[in-house]
Amino acid sequence: MMTPLDPPPNILTGQSTQNQKILILTAIPHGLRLDREIREIEEAIRRATRRDLFEIRVRTAVRSQDIRRAIAEERPQIVHFCGHGTADGSLVLEDDGGNNKNVPPEGLAALFKLHVNYVNCVLLNACHSAKSALAISQHINYVIGMNHEINDKAAIAFAQGFYDALGYEALDNQDVFQRAFDEGLVAIQLEDTLEGQIPVILRVSFPSVEFQQEINNNFPEILEPISADPSLERKADYIKLENFLKAQQWKEADCETYRLMLQFVGREQQGWIRKEELLNFPCTHLEWIDYLWLKYSNGKFGFTVQQRIWRSIGGQLGKFDGVIHRKLADQLGWRQTNDWLRYADFTLSLEAKEGHLPSFGYSVQRWDEWEPSFRSFFLRVSTCVQQKVVD
């Protein structure tokens, strides 16, 4: 059983003077320029105004036992993996004979659970690593993965931007790892705009402590084998949505998501939600719905994905700008050539753009009703997902 997390002890904000050891792990370099990625990281740290705070350690050609021992021996604050990933979210390491060995997300999550006292950030710079990132984020404050294949050039650009930003002079209370992640996205976009939405960042503050308690009390089978009878009454709220998502029935899951939202505020008969109800919608329900979408889409769909894209194009907490809103719709694939799509023209598969779903009832509302409601809802989501667990 998963236990509620204590507040993260080492969130890095502002002008931190904590020493940061970076452990770089490389495996199966065939076809990848891992030597260049390591050089770019080392060069970024050498240029840093706070270079004395960083120490870099490198382990190459790692096997599963090498990773386990390296993290225990080095006790790093940042773990950077570069190598290959598979479509099921596994990382590709080596066995004793030099052959490929896939390590699944569950194994990586169990590993990092042992090192929560000092590991603060994990960067999985490998294709399809978002599922492993999601699993590890149950235990580690910040985890970055890739939700699709990423080419070598883009992966190196992201690493360069990320570590450049770690060395910048940071503003007071600035989230340093989020700032570094955003810098990495910009670095990719300057090099290859087609791959600028592949990296994703996940935090231990999502789900929140309260939300983890909800999962613990009512949905233990979702994350871990059943060890206690779940509350069937509470589970019944979400079981249809989970089944649709498991089966990758994206249209049905999208419609069920909106039906659940109507149910939670008692507006099923009316079929729409009033502004005051949207602005006060329970964060726990939003977090749980978001978690299911993230889990079954391997990090491609969900409210937090939409929020990250919104922030990357200039969205600001508490403000809803019409120009940014249209840019967001373009990024999510809801608009093409300046025209809003009909729901029948949505791409209801994993081939869709990142963040394409859920659509907040796009299929069942007239656009002139949906658009102002979505604005209020999106502001509420931004408030919920921006909440952090801090000391």
Side-chain angles (χ1 to χ4, degrees), residues 250-255 293 301 306 325 328-336 339-367 370-371 374:
W250 305 113
K251 179 178 180 180
E252 291 81 359
D254 194 30
C255 293
W293 276 96
F301 300 144
Q306 295 167 351
H325 176 40
L328 174 67
D330 293 338
Q331 292 274 355
L332 301 182
W334 295 352
R335 291 197 341 151
Q336 288 182 1
D339 288 327
W340 289 84
L341 297 182
R342 298 176 305 154
Y343 190 74
D345 296 322
F346 272 38
T347 305
L348 300 171
S349 74
L350 287 175
E351 299 302 312
K353 289 189 174 183
E354 187 185 15
H356 193 59
L357 298 171
S359 72
F360 182 66
Y362 198 104
S363 63
V364 295
Q365 300 180 81
R366 295 200 322 264
W367 186 87
W370 173 87
E371 199 269 346
F374 179 76

Side-chain angles (χ1 to χ4, degrees), residues 50 104 172 185 205 216 229 248 266 272 274 299 304 347 352:
R50 301 183 297 157
D172 289 342
L185 291 185
S205 56
N216 229 19
D229 291 333
Q248 296 194 355
W272 60 281
R274 293 172 295 196
T304 48
T347 305

Side-chain angles (χ1 to χ4, degrees), residues 14-32:
Q15 293 302 324
S16 173
T17 57
Q18 302 173 20
N19 289 330
Q20 301 290 308
K21 181 185 288 187
I22 302 167
L23 174 61
I24 302 174
L25 303 167
T26 70
I28 316 294
H30 311 308
L32 300 179

Side-chain angles (χ1 to χ4, degrees), residues 248-304:
Q248 296 194 355
Q249 294 176 282
W250 305 113
K251 179 178 180 180
E252 291 81 359
D254 194 30
C255 293
E256 175 65 9
T257 294
Y258 190 63
R259 189 200 66 77
L260 276 175
M261 294 181 62
L262 292 169
Q263 172 187 315
F264 293 144
V265 295
R267 300 284 293 178
E268 286 182 283
Q269 291 191 355
Q270 293 83 357
W272 60 281
I273 306 175
R274 293 172 295 196
K275 180 177 180 180
E276 59 270 23
E277 293 162 336
L278 289 170
L279 292 175
N280 293 283
F281 199 91
C283 285
T284 297
H285 289 311
L286 290 180
E287 289 175 329
W288 178 242
I289 290 170
D290 191 32
Y291 176 81
L292 290 176
W293 276 96
L294 284 169
K295 178 180 180 182
Y296 291 107
S297 69
N298 290 337
K300 186 162 192 176
F301 300 144
F303 300 138
T304 48

